């Protein structure tokens, strides 16, 4: 079975998830946004939070949209302003995942993601796995066993 983890990560939380899934034989595909986000928290919350709240889709750098050879696909996204990150919105817009039955992993500073969860349920009728800052809370990665 061919497995793929497609994710966006600005602060390293998604990278921690990618390491854990690589150990489970997932191929890893990190997405890069062409939008440059500030590194400091308040400006990031202003720019990124606004773009997430308004469901913007970031243009992506060299995104490989070929998923035909994969049996299992997992999408990873940070949660900004309780919503999917704009790069993740772009992924979902580009990929046709209807027949792939994707899984979702959300990484959130608060460990909550109500609006992001609602969107995923609306689009794919599934419940995402929500991790509280796995970069700082390594025990959260236990939730990924046998995904």
């Amino acid at each position: 079975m061919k497995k793929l983890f497609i994710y966006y990560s600005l602060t390293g939380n998604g990278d921690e998830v990618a390491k854990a899934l690589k150990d489970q034989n997932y191929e890893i595909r990190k997405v890069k946004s062409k939008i440059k986000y500030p590194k400091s928290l308040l400006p990031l919350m202003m720019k990124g939070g606004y773009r997430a709240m308004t469901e913007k889709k970031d243009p992506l750098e060299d995104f490989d949209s070929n998923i035909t050879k994969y049996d299992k696909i997992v999408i990873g996204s940070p949660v900004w302003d309780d919503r999917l990150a704009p790069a993740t919105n772009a992924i979902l817009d580009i990929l046709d995942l209807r027949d792939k039955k994707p899984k979702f992993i959300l990484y959130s500073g608060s460990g909550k993601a109500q609006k992001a969860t609602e969107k995923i349920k609306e689009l794919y009728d599934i419940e995402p796995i929500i991790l509280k800052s796995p970069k700082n809370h390594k025990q959260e990665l236990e939730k990924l066993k046998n995904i």
Side-chain angles (χ1 to χ4, degrees), residues 16-134:
E16 291 299 319
V17 174
K19 288 178 199 171
L21 292 182
K22 189 169 186 170
D23 290 344
Q24 293 184 43
N25 298 315
Y26 276 82
E27 287 185 34
I28 307 299
R29 192 176 296 170
K30 186 174 183 177
V31 172
K32 293 183 181 168
S33 172
K34 289 183 180 179
I35 302 289
K36 300 302 175 206
Y37 289 99
K39 296 291 182 191
S40 54
L41 186 59
L42 186 57
L44 171 59
M45 288 173 58
M46 298 294 286
K47 183 175 184 174
Y50 172 77
R51 289 185 59 76
M53 181 181 67
T54 56
E55 297 190 1
K56 300 286 187 212
K57 298 172 185 128
D58 284 358
L60 304 177
E61 291 183 16
D62 302 320
F63 181 63
D64 179 1
S65 62
N66 186 355
I67 57 172
T68 56
K69 67 179 181 177
Y70 298 98
D71 304 302
K72 191 175 207 178
I73 296 176
V74 177
I75 307 293
S77 178
V79 176
W80 294 356
D81 194 34
D82 202 41
R83 293 166 176 85
L84 298 175
T88 308
N89 290 332
I91 294 167
L92 299 181
D93 190 53
I94 293 167
L95 298 179
D96 182 2
L97 296 168
R98 287 173 289 166
D99 294 332
K100 293 290 186 178
K101 297 181 182 159
K103 295 192 180 292
F104 288 82
I105 300 170
L106 307 178
Y107 15 101
S108 166
S110 69
K112 298 176 183 164
Q114 182 179 343
K115 290 179 182 166
T117 297
E118 289 169 3
K119 182 172 182 174
I120 291 167
K121 283 182 175 179
E122 177 186 315
L123 292 172
Y124 301 102
D125 196 31
I126 58 168
E127 188 83 29
I129 296 170
I130 302 170
L131 307 178
K132 181 177 180 176
S133 297

